[in-house]
């Protein structure tokens, strides 16, 4: 099963269930979640991919949290208690309050499972695992280039604290990735999102995606979330090119819908099936 | 080397430093601003590792001024539920750098992992990107569609380091718009 864990704003309590994303709208049971950004955008993208390939729907564990940490706490409590019951193949951590106390128990719970799932982290989940020195227990991190500086700086407990000597040096992606790997501050695979997307595995660059080149995509909130969601679902499918495919499909969507810096991510999510179709046709 | 010259080149953290800790990022920012306005030499830093919970911010000050700092906090309208500890190490400073990019009639400002984009003409906020703390989707929703001159400060809507970083890019963009 694909298990997606993250916080959502403007709700209350804990929301657990299989997610569907008909027409790009995310639903768990009878509850709808706006997909304009964050965890809901990531989960809707994953659900669209699962639906396209006829895979089992992703299981979502969402904590309602607009910044006080209460929803994050409920969410982790559920994970510590019941993650084994969901029989996860892939677990993705997304937006959350990166409280350092959650890192160790999360890994202990994963280690206790009979079958070790693939672990993916983005956003607060990635901040948490880097800060608690557990990054190398993960299979994939999906930072943007700003977050890559954070992974490269072994002293920074959050992207806000990247030291000036690193932030102002204009270091190359290769040297930043090198620092992150040398200090064990990133996952086995690091998918770096930017004007050029890079895929690093165990410290070595294994691929990059340069086109179609659409500068407006950097401004659109959620274009990283769609990559994380699609990549999670494609890895769940067992696709050997999951990372490359997610990055390419995201760019194909941007081109297909003619996005501008004012485009909202819901438009991207709706266009996922057509872009996947286009990708599959081209690669046949 | 003469003593006065040594002092000039002496790293700041050699002087004993005190750290003011609160349970919320908003309270830290408010107290930091108040102390700065009152003429204290203060700095926003990451708390020492043993006091970090996650998503933390603290105010650093010269420990020699502890009494004056505490007396000032006592009489000002800022949160009173703080703790003070001493710092034995150089603590990470906050990132202050922001950059601008123009794309097809829009201006994007980026600080660290947070980006905010407005229309070049109407100054309407059209997108907020980046971040990983739970308040960011909420803050983004509240800011979307507002003119940057009229929009509420991100840090008043959110309470995380990502919101504070968004505030840095928001302020830079607002200043650019003002000219």
């Amino acid at each position: 099963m694909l298990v997606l864990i993250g916080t959502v704003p403007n709700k209350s309590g804990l929301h657990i269930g299989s997610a569907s994303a008909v027409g790009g709208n995310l639903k768990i049971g009878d509850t709808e979640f706006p997909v304009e950004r964050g965890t809901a955008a990531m989960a809707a993208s994953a659900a669209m991919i699962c639906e396209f390939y006829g895979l089992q729907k992703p299981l979502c564990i969402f904590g309602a949290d607009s910044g006080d940490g209460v929803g994050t706490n409920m969410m982790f409590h559920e994970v510590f208690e019941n993650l084994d019951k969901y029989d996860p193949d892939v677990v993705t951590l997304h937006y959350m309050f990166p409280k350092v106390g959650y890192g160790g128990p999360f890994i202990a719970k994963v280690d206790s499972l009979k079958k070790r799932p693939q672990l993916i982290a983005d956003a607060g989940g990635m901040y948490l695992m880097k800060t608690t020195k557990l990054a190398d227990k993960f299979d994939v991190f999906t930072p943007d280039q700003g977050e890559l500086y954070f992974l490269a700086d072994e002293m920074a407990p959050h992207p806000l604290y990247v030291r000036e000597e690193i932030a102002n040096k204009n270091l190359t992606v290769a040297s930043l990735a090198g620092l992150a790997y040398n200090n064990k501050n990133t996952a086995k695979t690091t998918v770096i999102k930017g004007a050029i997307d890079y895929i690093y595995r165990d410290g070595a660059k294994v691929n990059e995606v340069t086109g179609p080149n659409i500068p407006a995509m950097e401004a659109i909130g959620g274009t990283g979330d769609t990559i994380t969601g699609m990549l999670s679902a494609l890895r769940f499918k067992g696709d050997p090119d999951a990372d490359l495919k997610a990055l390419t499909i995201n760019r194909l969507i941007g081109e297909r819908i003619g996005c501008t810096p004012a485009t909202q991510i819901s438009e991207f999510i709706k266009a996922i099936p057509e872009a996947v179709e286009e990708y599959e046709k081209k690669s046949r | 080397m003469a003593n006065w010259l040594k002092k000039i080149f002496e790293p700041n953290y050699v002087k004993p430093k005190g750290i003011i800790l609160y349970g919320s990022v908003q309270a830290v920012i408010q107290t930091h601003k108040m102390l700065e306005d009152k003429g204290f030499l203060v700095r926003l830093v990451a708390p020492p590792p043993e006091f970090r919970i996650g998503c933390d911010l603290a105010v650093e000050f010269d420990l020699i001024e502890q009494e004056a700092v505490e007396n000032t906090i006592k009489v000002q309208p800022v949160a009173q539920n703080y703790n003070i500890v001493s710092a034995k190490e150089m603590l990470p400073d906050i990132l202050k750098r922001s950059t601008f990019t123009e794309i097809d009639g829009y201006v994007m400002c980026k600080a660290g992992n947070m980006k905010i984009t407005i229309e070049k003409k109407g100054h309407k906020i059209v997108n907020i990107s980046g971040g990983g703390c739970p308040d960011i989707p909420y803050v983004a929703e509240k800011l979307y569609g507002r003119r940057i001159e009229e929009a509420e400060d991100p840090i008043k809507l959110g309470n995380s380091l990502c919101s504070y970083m968004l505030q840095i890019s928001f302020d830079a963009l607002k200043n650019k718009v003002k000219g």
Side-chain angles (χ1 to χ4, degrees):
Chain A
M1 184 174 275
L2 169 60
V3 178
L4 308 173
I5 301 166
T7 56
V8 288
N10 298 328
K11 299 277 180 201
S12 61
L14 200 58
H15 299 263
I16 304 170
S18 295
S20 60
V22 181
N25 297 312
L26 185 72
K27 262 184 122 175
I28 298 175
D30 292 332
T31 312
E32 274 200 39
F33 295 84
V35 294
E36 287 312 339
R37 51 192 59 80
T39 303
M42 181 275 291
S45 308
M48 293 290 267
I49 292 287
C50 289
E51 198 171 293
F52 183 89
Y53 289 108
L55 307 172
Q56 185 184 18
K57 289 177 180 177
L59 186 281
C60 295
I61 303 174
F62 287 176
D65 197 327
S66 296
D68 60 8
V70 174
T72 305
N73 196 40
M74 286 192 287
M75 195 171 83
F76 272 105
H77 188 73
E78 170 63 22
V79 169
F80 299 154
E81 290 284 307
N82 294 321
L83 184 61
D84 47 324
K85 291 179 188 153
Y86 304 121
D87 189 26
D89 297 290
V90 177
V91 176
T92 299
L93 301 183
H94 210 238
Y95 274 69
M96 61 183 60
F97 185 83
K99 192 172 170 184
V100 292
Y102 300 133
F106 174 79
I107 293 298
K109 183 69 190 179
V110 168
D111 286 343
S112 76
L113 301 174
K114 281 183 194 156
K115 171 185 73 186
R116 196 184 185 284
Q118 288 188 60
L119 299 178
I120 299 170
D122 185 27
M126 182 174 68
Y127 302 173
L128 168 66
M129 294 304 163
K130 185 263 182 177
T131 305
T132 48
K133 297 275 174 200
L134 294 165
D136 63 342
K137 306 277 183 199
F138 272 66
D139 295 281
V140 189
F141 273 6
T142 53
D144 64 16
Q145 295 206 357
E147 289 165 333
L148 182 61
Y149 278 89
F150 160 64
L151 299 180
D153 186 348
E154 79 276 16
M155 300 281 283
H158 186 277
L160 179 70
Y161 297 118
V162 173
R163 286 172 293 170
E164 280 189 27
E165 57 261 41
I166 290 181
N168 295 339
K169 245 185 189 171
N170 282 331
L171 294 169
T172 61
V173 167
S175 47
L176 290 166
L179 284 169
Y181 276 102
N182 288 342
N183 295 316
K184 294 188 173 182
N185 282 328
T186 191
K188 182 179 173 59
T189 299
T190 309
V191 174
I192 303 158
K193 305 168 289 196
I196 299 173
D197 302 314
Y198 298 91
I199 303 170
Y200 278 77
R201 199 153 293 144
D202 295 322
K205 188 177 82 175
V206 293
N207 228 321
E208 63 179 44
V209 185
T210 55
N213 179 24
I214 306 157
M217 282 175 66
E218 193 185 358
I220 301 167
T223 44
D225 304 326
T226 51
I227 290 171
T228 305
M230 291 193 287
L231 182 151
S232 300
L234 290 164
R235 279 190 168 240
F236 173 55
K237 178 177 174 277
D239 195 318
D241 295 323
D243 310 340
L244 183 69
K245 204 163 171 177
L247 292 169
T248 309
I249 291 168
N250 214 40
R251 286 169 181 259
L252 290 175
I253 296 171
E255 184 180 56
R256 178 174 275 274
I257 66 174
C259 71
T260 73
T263 299
Q264 298 301 295
I265 200 64
S266 53
E267 294 177 52
F268 264 72
I269 296 167
K270 280 178 201 154
I272 287 174
E274 294 154 29
V276 179
E277 187 79 57
E278 183 185 341
Y279 181 95
E280 294 292 4
K281 262 186 197 165
K282 276 184 185 169
S283 53
R284 256 173 228 152
Chain B
M1 195 190 291
N3 269 349
W4 64 270
L5 204 56
K6 268 186 194 168
K7 270 195 173 171
I8 289 175
F9 290 107
E10 183 180 67
N12 286 337
Y13 57 91
V14 171
K15 286 182 195 167
K17 297 290 182 187
I19 304 291
I20 306 170
L21 303 166
Y22 280 102
S24 95
V25 171
Q26 279 169 342
V28 172
I29 289 163
Q30 201 186 18
T31 297
H32 170 260
K33 189 178 182 317
M34 181 277 290
L35 290 172
E36 201 174 46
D37 290 347
K38 296 285 174 194
F40 289 98
L41 276 174
V42 286
R43 192 169 72 105
L44 285 170
V45 294
E50 61 272 31
F51 295 102
R52 279 178 208 158
I53 297 165
C55 213
D56 314 281
L57 190 63
V59 184
E60 183 195 67
F61 63 96
D62 283 335
L63 205 52
I64 200 163
E65 295 190 307
Q66 181 172 1
E67 207 177 324
V69 163
E70 290 202 78
N71 286 338
T72 307
I73 291 175
K74 209 176 281 175
V75 297
Q76 293 297 318
V78 291
Q80 300 293 322
N81 55 336
Y82 62 89
N83 288 311
I84 287 183
V85 296
S86 63
K88 295 172 186 68
E89 61 197 296
M90 180 63 173
L91 295 166
D93 200 353
I94 60 162
L95 190 81
K96 298 177 185 95
R97 186 169 174 252
S98 51
T99 53
F100 298 98
T101 311
E102 290 198 15
I103 316 164
D104 303 333
Y106 298 88
V107 189
M108 176 176 75
C109 183
K110 180 158 61 167
N113 61 334
M114 293 305 308
K115 292 155 243 176
I116 178 165
T117 304
I118 58 169
E119 291 171 344
K120 208 173 164 187
K121 277 189 183 162
H123 302 168
K124 197 172 87 175
I125 298 168
V126 295
N127 251 309
I128 282 159
S129 179
C133 296
D135 53 348
I136 288 300
Y138 169 78
V139 174
E141 185 190 304
K142 293 283 172 198
L143 295 179
Y144 173 68
R146 308 283 307 276
R147 291 184 72 239
I148 195 160
E149 297 91 330
E150 292 151 10
E152 203 166 347
D153 282 342
I155 198 60
K156 286 183 183 159
L157 296 164
N159 186 27
S160 69
L161 297 184
C162 289
S163 284
Y164 184 59
M165 191 113 77
L166 178 60
Q167 184 73 45
I168 294 168
S169 51
F170 178 93
D171 288 341
L173 196 48
K174 209 165 160 180
N175 285 338
K176 187 179 172 72
V177 161
K178 272 187 201 163

